[in-house]
């Protein structure tokens, strides 16, 4: 089986598809991307073996449906074979027969032992080996490698005993696979989710309410399955336990569950979209399909009744429908077809439970019926409009096949059911059997006034759900049977019935019946309801009892904050809901709803008494941290949504930042004998968005200090002591970046004598600034996992044995990570994990540093990550010590040509510093003077600005000044390599960056190219940015062009500028494009555009890099 990797050359994403406790999508430097796990490989290989064996079995009477021993001929007569499903249905073709392979590899032969005792026993009892979907999937992972039915529990006692004995024997000899030995509920029998990574997903708050919630188990263990962002959550609601299935790198867009609740298929949208089939018993991914719909991913998926086939519909403008036999080890669909855009976006699909070769899909305006077989995939799109029955039809919601196997139904927003009937040809012929059968709307049945949102077939009932939260049951003639409702239930999103029937009802139904009731007693099973407003309910039909299981946030989650002294986490959403959880017990404690505006940010004070909340309308609430009651009246001094909020260390000040680039400060004062909060002052201090506000403590006192950092590259410190009512005083304003944009700010731990402020910018660099002088003391390469760091926090630690051991928690656009401090540019000291593919909105750390919480914004979830620092330390140790990690960052490594060239330049700089032509005895040294750093950097292809050169020299010069009081005047090769790696651009030179500059500075010529006139370019170089004098510019240009007027030497000291203007005019064209500037003036090669064979996530590439 071919394995496909999807990853840029700079970013490495690994999705481990392991068993117990699926690890999150790890993003580390060494691993390869998106590979199947060894288990998936074994499953795929076994599938090949099964296909070969099953072909041999097809010579006899082969059946799809399993039958139980003791049922005799009656059971056999009720089986549905592929041939029987076509009877009376014109155009339905039988199952396409796969041709068996002539040769078997050694591996395939090994998977087919001569005889299995359990299979032989079953054959002796009269049960066929290949019996239905259970046998189909069981054969892939049975210890013997051949078909044994009954991977799921059966009612036959003898069969159960036989299976149990087989499992016990297999477990004793260690040969049993995890899937074969799996049983319902075993996920929660013990803690299977071992913590092998620096961060492991521990709990998920919230779920995707646009997708359904499925009931896996009901009774003593009420187990639900739902989707949270890119994770499948199996939730034991009564036992308060979760198990997470992780493998997708994009948000999961659709899912389906087999009839027996064992097999779960999930799919996502976006780049590198995946289809994964999971075993819900063991939590193992048994099949992964890559590149199913490479353009846009999957919008709808369904699994057949026998669990053998999947159907998927792509999410593109031109949708493609594919049918997969997922047990085959191939990446190719069995058949597929494209739909016309005028059919609308097909977002729902379902198989015919009685015939796996038929399925139906619908958009809001069009229902499509499909038939697949030897002739490929065909479809029929019958017309239906308001004129068909001279009444309003409404938009379609969901479609189903009637259990009478001759009709189909579609629910509409007008509260009606469309009845589709098959149109049979008058003269059936052999040719017509391969043609598409027709379906026509024959009735439009108004069952209610409210819009229908869900339509389900349950045993011999038609079940509907509507926008009023009502669930109604109808018989096959659409006669009303009963209704279940709750006064506070929103629009129904899904209905999932339990596997086992409930006891006969002792009470009357929740709603009185109307219409003609069935003559037979109505006994339903318990079921799970999910609503579009993120509420999940359990309905017990025997007691007519509706119980609320979960109620989660309905809109984006923008804020999360952890209590500084207790295991409490506060979550704020855009719908105004504020919830506080005990994250140790994963227990909901208290909540409050703010109806006026949405919550944008949260912060506890350091003492744990107050919880401050900033809102989208600019208001600020200061609440009691436990009860959530207001401690004072709301403040509304911000002119835009509050984006940041923070308390001072002594809880005397509160500061906020808003979208209008203003900082507002509140102060706690004594009034009438009691402490209360009042507004102090505000200031429009930045001219671009504020990225961070930060309270600290003065070095020489215990007074608080306040800083703000903006995208305008300004770091502003405020003088709180000198500030008065409505007058906020600025103490210092420092421009800390020349080109890059700073994104986040934190106080660096006191790991040395000097105190630092840590920042991270959009060029993947982390910088240390002296807290007093604001001088840049170090520039370091930060984590490079697809997007820059958006927020950083020092991880609290309870490690008293080694107080110097500190860690940094951070978030990027879609990942959460950990970094070992001190930062030095070593990539092995950092690890990151995909947490919210659609974007992380906030990050918080627990007071003891054991957990990190991430808020997912629009995916409406908060994830709790358990920290394992030992795993991170181990990864850093395995990466090597001293210079070994940095050698690996050089092209070719320690033994490569690039390193040898660097050594040559380094030693040449030594000669240059002593004088090239000197005849005196040279002092052998391993160092070069600091003045030679710029020359060697440029020789290696890194062209720093004058400000960057000054930063590099100062970084080395003052590296020991605080400790020794002396300046460093030279640098050795090892330190130079670190300096080079930490300061050079993270992703090299970028042609796109030069092209963007020309788009901003240039104009369109007559050919449509962006150009800059020669005179304008020379003027810009002299007047903008780091100014160049006319002589400096002339010297640079003539040197670059290889012309030296007035002298043949290349030494700048002998340069004669006379004649430079004429040569410049002669060599440089009047109109300059980005390509001419790069290739002809700078003399840099331009790589040919890479022909991409696959789409990649633009967010996974640094915005300034080439493909």
């Amino acid at each position: 089986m071919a394995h496909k990797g999807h990853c840029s050359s700079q970013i490495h994403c690994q999705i481990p598809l392991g068993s117990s406790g699926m690890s999150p999508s790890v993003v580390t430097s060494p691993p390869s991307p998106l590979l199947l796990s060894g288990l998936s490989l074994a499953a795929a290989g076994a599938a090949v073996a099964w296909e070969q064996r099953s072909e041999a079995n097809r010579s006899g009477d082969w059946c799809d449906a399993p039958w139980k021993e003791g049922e005799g001929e009656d059971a056999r007569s009720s089986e549905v074979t592929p041939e029987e499903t076509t009877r009376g249905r014109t155009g339905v073709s039988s199952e396409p027969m796969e041709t068996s392979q002539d040769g078997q590899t050694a591996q395939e032969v090994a998977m087919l032992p001569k005889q299995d005792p359990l299979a032989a026993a079953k054959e002796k009892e009269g049960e066929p080996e290949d019996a239905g979907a259970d046998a189909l999937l069981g054969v892939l992972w049975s210890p013997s490698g051949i078909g044994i039915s009954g991977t799921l529990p059966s009612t036959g006692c003898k069969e159960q005993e036989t299976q149990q004995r087989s499992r016990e024997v297999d477990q004793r000899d260690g040969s049993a696979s995890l899937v074969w030995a799996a049983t319902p509920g075993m996920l929660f029998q013990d803690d299977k989710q071992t913590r092998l990574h620096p961060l492991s997903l521990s709990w998920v708050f919230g779920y995707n309410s646009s997708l359904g919630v499925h009931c896996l188990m009901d009774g003593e263990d009420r187990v639900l399955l739902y989707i949270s962002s890119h994770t499948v959550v199996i939730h034991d609601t009564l036992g308060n336990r979760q198990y997470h299935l992780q493998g997708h790198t994009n948000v999961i867009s659709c899912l389906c569950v087999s009839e027996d609740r064992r097999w779960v298929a999930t799919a996502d949208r976006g780049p590198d979209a995946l289809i994964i089939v999971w075993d819900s018993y063991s939590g193992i991914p048994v099949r992964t399909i890559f590149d199913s719909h490479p353009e846009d991913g999957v919008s709808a998926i369904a699994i057949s009744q026998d669990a053998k086939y999947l159907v998927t519909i792509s999410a593109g403008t031109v949708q493609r429908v594919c049918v997969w036999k997922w047990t085959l080890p191939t990446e190719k669909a069995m058949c597929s077809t494209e739909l016309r855009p005028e059919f609308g976006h097909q977002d729902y699909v379902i198989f015919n439970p009685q015939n796996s070769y038929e399925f139906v899909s619908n958009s809001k305006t069009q229902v499509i019926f499909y038939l697949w077989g030897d002739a490929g995939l065909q479809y029929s799109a019958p017309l239906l409009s308001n004129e068909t029955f001279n009444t309003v039809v409404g938009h379609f919601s969901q479609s189903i096949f009637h259990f009478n196997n001759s009709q189909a139904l579609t629910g509409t927003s007008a509260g009606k059911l469309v009845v589709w009937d098959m149109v049979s040809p008058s003269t059936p012929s052999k040719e017509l059997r391969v043609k598409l059968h027709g379906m026509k709307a024959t009735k439009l049945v108004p069952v209610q006034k409210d819009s229908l949102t869900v339509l389900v077939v349950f045993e011999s009932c038609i079940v509907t759900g509507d926008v009023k939260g009502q669930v109604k049951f109808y018989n096959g003639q659409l006669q009303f049977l009963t209704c279940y409702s709750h006064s506070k239930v929103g629009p129904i999103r899904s209905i999932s019935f339990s596997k086992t029937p409930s006891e006969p009802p002792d009470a009357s139904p929740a709603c009185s019946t109307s219409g003609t009731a069935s003559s037979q007693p109505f006994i339903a099973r318990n079921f799970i309801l999910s609503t579009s407003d993120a509420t999940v309910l359990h309905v017990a039909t025997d007691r007519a009892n509706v119980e609320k299981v979960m109620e989660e946030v309905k809109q984006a989650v923008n804020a999360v904050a952890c209590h500084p002294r207790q295991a409490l986490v506060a979550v704020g959403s855009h719908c105004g809901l504020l919830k506080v959880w005990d994250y140790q017990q994963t227990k909901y404690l208290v909540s409050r709803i703010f109806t006026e505006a949405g919550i944008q940010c949260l912060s506890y004070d350091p003492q744990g008494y107050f919880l401050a909340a900033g809102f989208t309308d600019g208001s600020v609430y200061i609440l009691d941290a436990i009860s959530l009651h207001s401690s004072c009246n709301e403040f509304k001094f911000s002119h835009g949504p509050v984006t940041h909020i923070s308390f001072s260390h002594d809880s005397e000040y509160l500061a906020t930042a808003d979208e209008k680039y203003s900082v507002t400060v509140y102060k706690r004062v004594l009034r009438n004998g009691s402490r209360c909060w009042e507004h102090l002052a505000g200031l429009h201090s930045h001219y671009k968005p504020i990225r961070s506000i930060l309270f600290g403590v003065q070095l020489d006192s215990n007074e608080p200090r306040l800083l703000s950092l903006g995208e305008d590259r300004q770091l502003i410190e405020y003088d709180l002591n000198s500030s008065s009512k409505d007058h906020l005083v600025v103490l210092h304003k420092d421009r800390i970046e020349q080109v890059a944009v700073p994104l986040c700010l934190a106080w660096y731990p006191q790991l040395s004598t000097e105190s630092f402020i840590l920042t991270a910018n959009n060029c993947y660099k982390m910088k240390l600034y002296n807290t007093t002088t604001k001088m840049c003391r170090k520039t370091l390469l930060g984590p490079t996992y697809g997007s820059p760091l958006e927020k950083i926090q020092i991880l609290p630690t309870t490690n008293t044995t080694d107080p110097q051991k500190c860690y940094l928690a951070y978030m990027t656009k879609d990942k959460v990570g950990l970094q070992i401090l001190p930062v030095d540019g070593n990539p092995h000291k950092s690890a990151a994990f995909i947490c919210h593919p659609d974007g992380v909105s906030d990050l918080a750390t627990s007071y003891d540093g054991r957990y990190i919480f991430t808020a997912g914004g629009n995916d409406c979830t908060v994830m709790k990550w358990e920290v394992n620092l030992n795993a991170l330390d181990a990864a850093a140790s395995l990466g090597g010590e001293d210079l070994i990690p940095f050698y690996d960052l050089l092209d070719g490594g320690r033994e490569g040509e690039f390193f040898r060239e660097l050594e040559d330049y380094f030693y040449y700089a030594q000669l240059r510093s002593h004088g090239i032509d000197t005849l005196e005895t040279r002092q052998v040294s391993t160092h070069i003077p600091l003045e030679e750093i710029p020359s060697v950097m440029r020789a290696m292809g890194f062209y720093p600005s004058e400000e960057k050169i000054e930063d590099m020299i100062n970084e080395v010069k003052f590296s020991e000044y605080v400790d020794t009081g002396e300046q460093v005047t030279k640098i050795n090769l090892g330190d130079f390599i670190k300096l080079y790696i930490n300061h050079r651009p993270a992703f090299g030179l970028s042609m796109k960056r030069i092209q963007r500059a020309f788009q901003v500075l240039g104009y369109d010529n007559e050919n449509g190219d962006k150009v800059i006139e020669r005179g304008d370019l020379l003027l810009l170089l002299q007047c903008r940015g780091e100014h160049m004098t006319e002589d400096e510019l002339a010297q640079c240009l003539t040197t670059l062009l290889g012309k030296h007027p007035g002298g043949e030497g290349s030494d700048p000291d002998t340069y004669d500028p006379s004649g430079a203007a004429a040569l410049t005019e002669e060599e440089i064209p009047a109109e300059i494009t980005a390509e001419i500037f790069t290739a002809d003036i700078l003399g840099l090669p331009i790589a040919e555009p890479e022909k991409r064979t696959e789409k990649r996530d633009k967010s996974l590439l640094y915005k300034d890099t080439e493909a």
Side-chain angles (χ1 to χ4, degrees):
M1 182 176 181
H3 308 295
K4 302 182 180 181
H6 309 273
C7 191
S8 71
S9 59
Q10 298 291 344
I11 310 302
H12 299 274
C13 300
Q14 179 190 16
I15 303 182
L17 301 178
S19 58
S20 60
M22 290 296 300
S23 61
S25 302
V26 185
V27 184
T28 56
S29 296
S32 60
L34 293 173
L35 293 181
L36 283 172
S37 67
L39 178 64
S40 298
L41 288 171
V48 177
W50 178 83
E51 284 300 323
Q52 293 171 341
R53 182 173 180 86
S54 63
E55 288 301 328
N57 292 337
R58 288 186 182 180
S59 58
D61 291 334
W62 188 96
C63 65
D64 275 323
W67 59 281
K68 301 179 179 62
E69 60 178 1
E71 293 179 343
E73 297 301 323
D74 294 335
R76 287 179 180 268
S77 64
S78 64
E79 294 169 358
V80 181
T81 67
E83 290 77 19
E84 289 171 343
T85 58
T86 66
R87 295 173 186 170
R89 303 296 301 274
T90 304
V92 181
S93 61
S94 62
E95 178 184 10
M97 304 291 287
E98 294 93 10
T99 304
S100 61
Q101 302 176 7
D102 295 331
Q104 293 181 345
T105 65
Q107 181 182 8
E108 292 166 350
V109 173
M111 292 180 178
L112 296 172
K114 295 180 180 179
Q115 185 178 16
D116 178 69
L118 181 56
K122 285 178 179 275
E123 289 182 12
K124 187 174 181 180
E125 293 171 359
E127 181 173 351
E129 287 188 42
D130 299 309
D134 295 345
L136 169 73
L137 280 308
V139 75
L140 298 182
W141 307 282
S142 65
S144 63
I146 66 174
I148 301 173
S149 77
T151 55
L152 303 183
S154 172
T155 56
C157 297
K158 186 181 297 183
E159 185 180 11
Q160 282 184 335
E161 293 173 1
T162 306
Q163 289 183 29
Q164 182 63 29
R165 286 195 300 270
S166 174
R167 287 194 179 99
E168 290 174 356
V169 171
D170 291 329
Q171 289 168 1
R172 281 196 298 270
D173 63 18
S175 63
S177 78
L178 294 175
V179 176
W180 167 248
T183 56
M186 67 175 290
L187 284 179
F188 303 107
Q189 290 176 0
D190 51 15
D191 187 12
K192 297 170 64 65
Q193 305 190 64
T194 54
R195 312 303 183 185
L196 302 177
H197 300 279
L199 289 174
S200 301
L201 185 59
S202 175
W203 195 269
V204 181
F205 304 90
Y207 75 101
N208 185 351
S209 59
S210 65
L211 300 179
V213 176
H214 295 267
C215 177
L216 297 185
M217 298 177 64
D218 194 18
E220 295 182 0
D221 296 315
R222 185 183 300 164
V223 180
L224 307 182
L225 182 142
Y226 51 83
I227 302 300
S228 296
S229 188
H230 66 310
T231 303
V232 183
V233 180
I234 299 177
H235 187 180
D236 178 2
T237 58
L238 298 180
N240 199 27
R241 297 171 294 184
Q242 284 186 354
Y243 192 93
H244 308 111
L245 309 181
Q246 295 176 271
H248 291 275
T249 57
N250 305 303
V251 172
I252 296 174
S253 57
C254 51
L255 82 157
C256 59
V257 180
S258 64
E259 181 67 21
D260 57 15
R261 317 300 165 87
R262 176 160 194 178
W263 313 108
V264 180
T266 56
D268 62 67
R269 297 183 186 179
D272 304 327
L274 299 176
I275 299 172
I276 303 179
V277 181
W278 312 83
D279 173 21
S280 69
Y281 290 2
S282 63
I284 294 174
V286 295
R287 183 73 166 94
T288 302
I289 302 175
F290 298 93
D291 293 333
S292 58
H293 299 279
E295 296 83 9
D296 301 283
V298 185
S299 67
I301 190 170
I303 190 167
S304 60
Q305 182 83 0
D306 56 13
K308 292 167 60 176
Y309 304 106
L310 293 175
V311 59
T312 59
I313 303 180
S314 69
T317 304
V318 178
Q319 291 184 286
R320 174 168 288 275
V321 182
C322 297
V323 177
W324 311 82
K325 190 168 185 179
W326 62 269
T327 54
L328 293 180
T330 176
E331 300 285 308
K332 186 177 180 181
M334 299 191 70
C335 52
S336 64
T337 188
E338 284 189 352
L339 303 178
R340 298 200 298 269
E342 54 263 33
F343 291 156
H345 185 75
Q346 302 285 315
D347 56 4
Y348 184 79
V349 65
I350 189 171
F351 274 98
N352 184 348
Q354 301 177 65
N355 186 353
S356 298
Y357 299 96
E358 295 180 2
F359 56 93
V360 62
S361 73
N362 67 261
S363 65
K364 290 184 178 180
T365 57
Q366 181 67 60
V367 177
I368 304 177
F369 294 90
Y370 305 82
L371 179 69
W372 69 277
D374 290 332
L377 178 58
Q378 305 171 66
Y379 66 85
S380 169
L383 297 177
L384 176 61
S385 64
N386 294 338
E387 289 74 25
T388 305
F389 297 104
N390 293 321
T391 184
V392 176
V393 176
H395 287 152
F396 301 135
S397 56
Q398 291 184 359
S399 301
I400 57 170
F401 287 93
H402 199 290
F403 49 79
N404 62 18
N405 203 27
S406 63
Q407 294 177 319
L409 304 173
T410 300
T412 76
S413 59
K416 300 173 182 177
L417 288 176
V418 182
V419 180
W420 307 90
D421 268 306
M422 182 185 64
V423 180
S424 300
S426 56
T427 57
S429 64
K430 184 173 287 187
E431 289 77 14
L432 284 174
R433 289 184 62 82
V434 297
K435 292 184 179 179
L436 187 66
H437 66 285
M439 297 293 284
K440 180 181 179 182
T442 58
K443 296 179 185 177
L444 190 61
V445 181
V447 293
Q448 62 182 58
K449 294 182 179 179
D450 300 315
S451 173
L452 298 177
T453 57
V454 176
L455 191 59
V456 178
V457 170
F458 168 66
E459 294 181 346
S460 59
C461 296
I462 307 296
V463 186
T464 66
D466 60 32
V467 293
K468 292 291 184 66
Q470 299 178 103
V471 177
K472 297 180 180 179
F473 289 75
Y474 300 86
N475 63 15
Q477 292 75 41
L478 298 184
Q479 296 174 324
F480 179 77
L481 297 177
T482 189
C483 167
Y484 294 90
S485 66
H486 192 277
S487 59
K488 296 181 180 180
V489 177
I492 302 296
R493 183 62 191 85
S494 69
I495 303 172
S496 179
F497 289 90
S498 65
K499 291 170 60 176
T500 56
S502 58
E503 297 296 328
D506 298 328
S508 59
C511 293
S512 60
T513 60
S514 61
T516 304
S518 173
S519 59
Q520 296 180 355
F522 174 73
I523 302 176
R525 300 180 187 176
N526 297 343
F527 56 91
I528 291 291
L529 292 180
S530 71
T531 68
S532 57
D533 58 1
T535 303
V536 179
L537 303 106
H538 178 266
V539 180
T541 56
D542 57 342
R543 300 182 302 274
N545 180 39
V546 179
E547 176 188 352
K548 188 176 293 185
V549 178
M550 294 193 307
E551 185 175 14
E552 302 297 338
V553 295
K554 303 169 179 60
Q555 296 181 27
V557 179
N558 297 319
V560 60
C562 289
H563 195 279
R565 297 183 177 181
Q566 300 181 45
L568 305 179
V569 60
V571 178
S573 75
H574 200 267
C575 64
L577 176 63
L578 174 61
K579 296 182 75 171
V580 177
W581 293 77
D582 179 342
Y583 58 77
Q584 203 71 52
Q585 306 294 328
T586 57
K587 181 181 179 182
Y588 158 72
L589 297 179
V590 65
S591 64
R592 179 176 174 180
I593 295 181
F594 300 86
T595 57
E596 296 80 9
I599 300 173
Q600 193 79 6
C601 51
L602 293 169
S603 178
Y604 281 98
D605 80 296
Q607 309 301 322
Y609 300 142
F610 302 106
L611 174 62
F615 288 79
T616 53
D617 63 352
S619 59
V620 174
Y621 282 79
I622 302 177
L623 312 172
D624 180 85
I626 304 300
S627 66
L628 301 186
H629 295 154
S630 297
S631 298
C632 58
N633 294 329
E634 68 169 306
F635 296 106
K636 201 166 184 179
F637 292 92
S638 299
H639 299 289
V642 179
T643 57
H644 299 82
I645 193 165
S646 181
F647 283 93
S648 63
H649 74 286
D650 56 4
S651 302
E652 293 297 316
Y653 290 92
L654 173 69
T656 65
D658 57 50
E659 287 188 1
K660 298 299 182 181
Y661 320 143
S662 297
V663 172
T664 306
V665 179
Y666 304 88
K667 188 177 181 180
R668 202 170 176 213
V669 297
L670 185 63
R671 183 183 299 168
N672 298 328
S674 62
R675 304 294 296 271
C676 61
W677 291 91
E678 70 173 18
H679 172 258
L680 179 61
L683 182 66
H684 189 281
S685 50
H686 294 267
Y687 63 89
K688 284 189 176 181
I690 298 174
R691 299 294 310 203
S692 183
I693 56 173
L694 188 65
F695 273 103
V697 184
Q698 299 287 352
L699 295 177
D700 53 353
S701 67
N702 198 38
E703 293 297 319
R705 57 190 300 192
L706 174 63
L707 298 92
S708 65
L709 179 68
E711 290 184 9
D712 53 9
R713 304 178 179 87
Q714 299 289 338
L715 177 62
I716 301 177
E717 182 169 2
Y718 304 88
D719 190 345
L720 296 176
N721 287 332
S722 302
S723 299
S724 57
K725 184 66 174 176
D726 298 327
H727 181 62
L728 186 59
V729 178
V730 173
L731 185 61
H732 297 292
K733 180 181 285 190
D734 300 279
R735 184 181 178 90
I736 63 171
E737 293 281 3
Q738 185 182 27
V739 177
V741 177
L743 299 179
C744 46
L745 180 71
W747 294 107
Y748 198 64
Q750 198 73 34
L751 302 178
S752 63
T753 310
E754 195 172 0
S755 299
F756 297 111
I757 298 170
L758 177 66
T759 68
N761 63 33
N762 68 335
C763 293
Y764 298 87
K765 302 295 183 183
M766 304 178 78
K767 293 190 174 184
L768 294 176
Y769 295 89
N770 184 281
T771 56
T772 304
T773 64
K774 307 300 193 302
M775 176 189 289
C776 180
R777 293 286 292 104
K778 271 193 176 182
T779 300
L780 303 148
L781 178 65
T784 53
Y785 298 126
S787 57
L789 305 190
E790 301 277 347
K791 185 174 182 179
I792 54 178
Q793 281 189 12
I794 304 300
L795 190 70
T797 179
T798 56
N799 186 359
T800 56
T801 58
D802 189 2
Q804 294 294 307
K805 207 167 187 179
C806 297
Y807 300 84
L808 178 76
Y810 62 83
M811 73 180 199
T812 68
K813 178 184 176 182
D814 59 349
K815 302 175 184 71
V816 59
L818 283 173
Q819 168 81 45
I820 300 176
L821 300 180
V823 182
D824 58 4
N826 180 355
H828 299 288
K829 294 173 67 173
S830 177
F833 301 81
I834 296 176
C835 55
H836 303 279
D838 277 357
V840 191
S841 59
D842 201 6
L843 171 141
T845 58
S846 64
Y847 73 97
D848 56 2
R850 292 180 56 195
Y851 300 101
I852 297 176
F853 296 85
T854 57
N858 291 328
D859 68 15
C860 302
T861 63
V862 171
M863 295 188 176
K864 181 178 80 168
W865 300 84
E866 185 174 342
V867 176
N868 183 356
L869 298 177
N870 292 332
L872 183 61
D873 292 335
S877 300
L878 292 173
E881 298 179 350
D882 198 26
L883 286 172
I884 293 177
F886 297 92
Y887 289 143
D888 294 338
L889 296 177
L890 297 175
D891 188 17
R894 177 70 173 81
E895 306 300 327
E897 182 180 347
F898 186 87
F899 179 78
R900 293 196 297 270
E901 188 177 355
L902 174 58
E903 280 186 315
D904 291 342
Y905 286 132
F906 192 82
Y907 295 127
Y908 177 73
Q910 285 185 345
L911 298 177
R912 223 169 72 115
S913 65
H914 295 141
I916 297 295
D917 301 324
T918 182
L919 298 177
E920 298 179 3
T921 303
R922 299 181 184 275
Q923 297 294 327
V924 178
S925 172
T926 58
H927 296 74
I928 61 172
L930 299 186
E931 294 76 17
E932 295 294 334
I933 288 177
S935 301
V936 183
M937 290 287 183
R938 289 166 181 152
M940 298 308 299
F942 170 38
Y943 308 100
S945 65
E946 295 300 317
E947 183 175 314
K948 285 186 178 179
I949 290 172
E950 183 179 355
D951 286 343
M952 285 190 290
I953 293 177
N954 287 338
E955 180 177 323
V956 181
K957 182 187 293 185
F958 297 108
S959 59
E960 301 175 3
Y961 186 80
V962 175
D963 297 324
T964 65
E966 297 180 358
Q967 297 182 0
V968 177
T969 59
K970 56 187 179 181
I971 185 172
N972 60 31
L973 180 59
D975 290 339
F976 180 86
I977 291 174
K978 291 182 180 180
L979 191 71
Y980 167 74
I981 287 173
N982 283 320
H983 281 266
R984 70 175 180 179
F987 298 102
L989 295 174
S990 168
M991 185 63 196
K992 286 186 177 181
R993 191 169 183 179
I994 298 176
Q995 290 171 339
R996 277 206 306 273
F998 271 74
Q999 289 175 355
V1000 173
L1001 301 173
Y1003 63 91
D1004 293 322
N1005 64 4
E1006 57 186 14
N1007 297 326
D1009 298 326
K1010 285 288 184 182
V1011 298
I1012 302 177
E1013 288 187 352
R1014 179 177 55 220
D1016 292 341
L1017 178 62
L1018 298 178
L1019 188 62
L1020 286 169
L1021 292 172
Q1022 293 178 72
C1023 302
R1024 303 294 293 272
E1026 291 184 341
H1027 302 176
M1028 302 177 69
T1029 65
E1030 187 174 350
D1031 289 344
E1032 289 173 338
L1033 181 58
Q1035 177 184 345
C1036 286
L1037 290 176
T1038 52
T1039 303
L1040 286 170
L1041 296 170
K1043 307 294 183 180
H1044 300 284
E1048 294 298 325
S1050 60
D1051 194 332
D1053 296 335
T1054 64
Y1055 175 76
D1056 183 0
S1058 61
L1063 284 173
T1064 301
E1065 186 172 345
E1066 178 184 343
E1067 296 292 332
I1068 300 178
E1071 290 185 340
I1072 305 168
T1073 64
E1075 289 73 20
I1076 292 175
F1077 180 77
T1078 304
D1080 299 342
I1081 298 178
L1082 297 181
L1084 299 176
I1086 302 177
E1088 289 293 327
E1090 179 183 353
K1091 293 183 179 180
R1092 298 189 179 186
T1093 59
E1094 58 187 13
K1095 278 195 171 185
R1096 296 183 182 180
D1097 187 358
K1098 294 180 181 178
S1099 68
L1100 290 181
L1101 295 175
Y1102 175 51
K1103 64 181 181 180
D1104 285 343
T1105 59
E1106 290 292 326

